């Protein structure tokens, strides 16, 4: 029995994975995964090596990732829409032994070394990973600089998933529906590894549309994982389609996370679906650290209590622990088995993020309610933007804009948005005589980084508001936007 995926190979009586083109039971999934692992071993890969994979949402990609889990090889998932500037950085930093894709032809131009996933290897004997062995390297943005690779271990994932299964009564009887990308914690660890770990059924939708999600619930879904932008679009859809509202309302549990769900939206969902969405909070480096329970209070505006086994605290600017008092705001810090082992090749950044006591500093500002639920109110750094559930550093967008030949200065902010939570807006000062078209600059960022990092609006200005020190006053930009 594999320590992370104990149900693999067991006859469950229901499929492990359903996509529009494939249905795999646990035994079939294990066979495919072991054949892939065998092929990797025959190619000389050893536990601890890294393999990058273009994270397209299909059964072959999931089976390959599972095979890599069994082989003890760490997976580096690549966003299929990753930009031209970011891809070389990730490949150089992660230095994967192989780059794989379910459809290699689609990625050959960007990665000439890419290979197809093949399930014709001699079945491998699964490796027995230790809890501290890496399972995934997930690239995540900071305020400035290129994304860093967060190294997540087998132990991190197993502990977190068990805590969430406990909080949500998540069992083999559940059918999880998700349409999240497979290159972040939410879709890959919670969605894919979580469903397989509890032995449930995973219905993986290759692309999010409200219709496809409601249809999956009309057929057999019991559990939904989605970001607030998806819930917003589901609400818009359900208001016009009562039958779909009823289908989703029959869900056992609707879970929201990765970004703030406004109270007003939460109430709207409650009216539409007849049940309160369950919120949970986390981040790439510490996985999910708080969650409302299926049988506990679901207080709008809060993200539930800390998961059992984690030491979560609020600290003031001097690092002093704050008492549990709804009036006291502090930074969330957390210590425990879900905290990652560090950033790949970045001991400096790791030392900055994890203090001497082993606490990871999240950068999120929150208070604790009298009943111990976390209420997130903001972020320490204004230069981190959450848009449609994706984290984007203002600095990386500014750097991409500055590489455009017509851009002399650039400043990027997040502006509140009903659909996206925050919308990326760029202010650009062109070189004298230049007149860049806003759409050209938007396309430039979408191509250099990834479409989700593109500004939704670009304002051409003569100068940026700066203080006496020459620093751009982003608050003023917010008022201008
Ligand atoms: C538009 N597009 C462009 C473009 N303008 N492409 C290139 N250049 C341009 N200038 C394209 C987009 O690529 C996309 O293409 C289409 O237009 C629509 O884009 P969109 O409106 O931006 O997004 P959409 O496809 O509608 O997706 C919305 C969404 C998505 C909510 C489904 O944002 C999403 O999946 N978010 C989830 C993020 C997530 O999983 N976060 C978890 C992080 S983990 P095309 O071809 O695709 O149509 C974490 C920890 C935790 O946070 O706690 O969970
Ligand atoms: P990422 O690095 O992409 O994993 O994003 C992590 C960040 O998303 C956290 O630091 C929070 O700022 C934010 N986040 C995640 N879940 C929630 C939530 N339920 N409510 C508010 N913010 C959230």
């Amino acid at each position: 029995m594999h320590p992370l995926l104990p149900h693999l190979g067991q006859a469950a009586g229901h499929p492990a994975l359903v996509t529009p083109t494939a249905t795999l039971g646990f035994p079939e999934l294990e066979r495919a995964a072991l054949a892939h692992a065998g092929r990797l071993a025959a190619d000389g890969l050893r536990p601890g090596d890294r393999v990058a994979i273009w994270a397209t949402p299909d059964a072959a990609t999931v089976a390959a990732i599972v095979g890599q889990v069994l082989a003890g090889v760490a997976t580096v998932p690549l966003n299929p829409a990753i930009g031209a500037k970011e891809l070389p950085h990730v490949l150089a930093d992660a230095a994967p032994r192989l780059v794989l894709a379910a459809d290699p032809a689609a990625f050959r131009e960007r990665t000439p070394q890419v290979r197809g996933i093949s399930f014709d290897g001699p079945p491998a004997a699964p490796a027995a990973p230790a809890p501290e062995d890496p399972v995934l390297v997930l690239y995540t943005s900071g305020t400035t600089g290129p994304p860093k690779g967060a190294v997540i271990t087998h132990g991190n994932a197993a502990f977190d998933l068990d805590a969430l299964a406990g909080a949500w009564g998540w069992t083999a009887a559940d059918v999880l529906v998700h349409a999240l990308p497979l290159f972040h914690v939410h879709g890959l660890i919670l969605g894919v590894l979580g469903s397989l770990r509890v032995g449930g059924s995973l219905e993986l939708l290759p692309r999010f549309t409200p219709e496809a999600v409601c249809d999956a619930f009309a057929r057999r879904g019991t559990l939904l994982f989605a970001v607030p932008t998806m819930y917003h679009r589901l609400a818009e859809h359900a208001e016009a389609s009562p039958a779909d509202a009823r289908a989703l309302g029959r869900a056992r549990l609707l879970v929201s996370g990765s970004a703030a769900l406004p109270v007003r939206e939460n109430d709207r969902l409650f009216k539409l679906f007849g049940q309160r969405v369950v919120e949970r909070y986390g981040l790439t480096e510490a996985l999910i650290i708080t969650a409302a329970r299926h049988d506990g209070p679901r207080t709008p505006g809060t993200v539930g209590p800390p998961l059992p086994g984690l030491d979560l605290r609020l600290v003031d600017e001097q690092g002093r622990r704050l008492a549990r008092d709804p009036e006291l705001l502090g930074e969330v810090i957390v210590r425990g088995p879900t905290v990652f082992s560090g950033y790949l090749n970045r001991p400096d950044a790791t030392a900055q993020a994890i203090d001497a006591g082993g606490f990871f500093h999240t950068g999120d500002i929150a208070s604790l309610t009298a009943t111990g639920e976390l209420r997130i109110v903001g972020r320490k750094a204004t230069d981190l933007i959450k848009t449609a559930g994706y984290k984007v550093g203002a600095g990386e967008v500014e750097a991409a804009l500055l590489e455009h030949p017509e851009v002399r200065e650039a400043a990027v902010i997040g502006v509140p948005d009903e659909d996206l939570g925050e919308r990326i807006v760029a202010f650009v000062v062109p070189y004298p005589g230049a007149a860049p078209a806003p759409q050209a600059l938007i396309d430039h960022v979408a191509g250099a980084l990834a479409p989700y990092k593109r500004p939704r609006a670009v304002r051409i200005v003569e100068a940026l508001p700066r203080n006496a020190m020459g620093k751009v006053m982003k608050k003023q930009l917010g008022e201008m936007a």
Side-chain angles (χ1 to χ4, degrees):
M1 223 166 56
H2 191 269
L4 186 57
L5 302 174
H7 290 267
L8 268 191
Q10 315 267 321
H14 58 254
L17 175 68
V18 178
T19 72
T21 54
T23 297
L24 293 182
F26 284 89
E28 288 166 279
L29 180 60
E30 183 185 53
R31 266 198 301 282
L34 286 177
H36 173 64
R39 176 70 187 262
L40 293 181
D43 287 340
L45 273 96
R46 295 287 165 263
D49 285 342
R50 285 185 289 277
V51 168
I53 189 163
W54 286 100
T56 49
D58 48 63
T61 301
V62 169
I65 292 171
V66 171
Q68 286 154 206
V69 169
L70 299 184
V73 163
T75 295
V76 186
L78 300 175
N79 174 359
I82 193 171
K85 178 178 157 164
E86 219 154 87
L87 177 63
H89 161 70
V90 169
L91 292 179
D93 189 58
R97 293 273 315 268
L98 281 178
V99 179
L100 301 175
D103 176 12
F107 300 100
R108 186 141 293 131
E109 209 175 302
R110 282 186 278 171
T111 44
Q113 73 275 42
V114 68
R115 265 184 29 188
I117 299 163
S118 97
F119 298 109
D120 57 9
E132 62 275 15
D133 288 343
V135 64
L136 294 167
V137 180
L138 301 178
Y139 278 80
T140 182
S141 296
T143 49
T144 56
K148 303 184 285 286
V151 180
I152 312 294
T153 67
H154 283 256
N156 294 151
F159 188 93
D160 205 47
L161 293 172
D162 289 349
L164 291 175
W168 297 334
W170 187 8
T171 69
D174 275 305
V175 178
L176 173 69
V177 177
H178 95 71
L180 294 154
L182 298 188
F183 44 88
H184 282 307
V185 163
H186 200 165
L188 185 52
I189 300 187
L190 268 62
V192 173
L193 298 182
S195 186
L196 295 175
R197 181 166 176 83
V198 304
S201 210
L202 170 64
E203 178 117 2
L204 182 63
L205 306 179
R207 145 174 221 107
F208 173 81
T209 64
E211 293 80 2
V213 169
C214 293
D215 177 57
F217 278 89
R219 284 183 288 111
R220 54 187 215 110
T222 68
L223 185 60
L224 178 66
F225 289 172
V227 300
T229 299
M230 293 174 173
Y231 280 107
H232 178 74
R233 295 182 188 181
L234 283 165
E236 300 277 302
H237 171 75
E239 273 174 1
S241 170
D244 277 354
R246 280 193 300 276
L248 207 52
R250 284 195 294 270
R252 185 179 73 75
L253 212 60
L254 302 172
V255 183
S256 172
S258 299
L261 182 68
V263 171
R264 207 162 51 108
E265 190 89 76
N266 188 317
D267 289 339
R268 181 189 186 194
L269 296 166
F270 182 49
K271 282 203 194 86
L272 273 166
F273 303 128
Q275 59 175 301
R276 281 269 172 218
V277 164
V278 162
E279 293 187 68
R280 96 296 181 286
Y281 150 75
L283 62 186
T284 303
E285 292 91 336
L287 308 187
I288 308 313
I289 55 180
T290 75
R293 291 185 57 85
H294 71 111
D295 54 359
R298 305 178 187 183
T299 316
T302 75
V303 291
L307 292 176
L310 298 184
D311 187 355
L312 184 147
R313 302 177 180 184
L314 297 182
V315 292
D316 67 12
E317 273 168 20
Q318 282 71 48
R320 288 174 304 215
R321 185 176 188 172
L322 299 176
R324 185 196 284 182
D325 175 341
E327 299 297 317
L328 292 179
L329 293 179
E331 182 182 0
V332 179
I333 64 172
V334 64
R335 178 170 66 182
T338 67
V339 174
F340 77 143
S341 61
Y343 298 110
L344 194 65
N345 306 322
R346 294 293 306 275
D348 56 323
T350 306
Q352 235 175 35
I354 303 178
D355 68 21
F359 282 94
F360 175 74
H361 291 238
T362 65
D364 291 309
I365 305 296
S367 66
L368 279 164
T369 67
T371 45
E373 297 157 288
L374 196 71
R375 183 187 301 279
I376 298 171
V377 300
R379 229 171 286 121
K380 235 170 113 180
T382 48
D383 276 349
L384 279 180
I385 301 166
K386 260 270 154 156
T387 183
Y390 286 114
K391 185 154 88 178
V392 180
E396 58 182 332
V397 182
E398 289 161 358
L401 285 167
L402 286 171
E403 279 171 14
H404 189 279
E406 292 180 303
V407 175
R408 181 178 186 170
E409 294 173 49
V412 165
I413 57 169
V415 175
D417 185 275
E418 233 196 14
D419 178 49
L420 302 170
E422 285 183 289
R423 174 173 81 246
I424 301 175
V425 175
F427 292 80
V428 162
V429 182
Y431 278 108
Q439 190 58 46
L441 298 181
I442 293 171
D443 293 345
H444 170 76
V445 176
L449 302 177
Y452 74 81
K453 296 186 180 181
R454 74 189 187 276
R456 301 296 166 132
V458 171
R459 300 281 183 84
I460 307 291
V461 292
E462 275 176 20
L464 296 173
R466 293 183 185 271
N467 65 15
M469 312 281 289
K471 202 167 173 265
V472 175
M473 294 188 290
K474 293 213 164 170
K475 225 173 138 194
Q476 205 159 316
L477 288 179
E479 287 155 16
M480 284 163 68

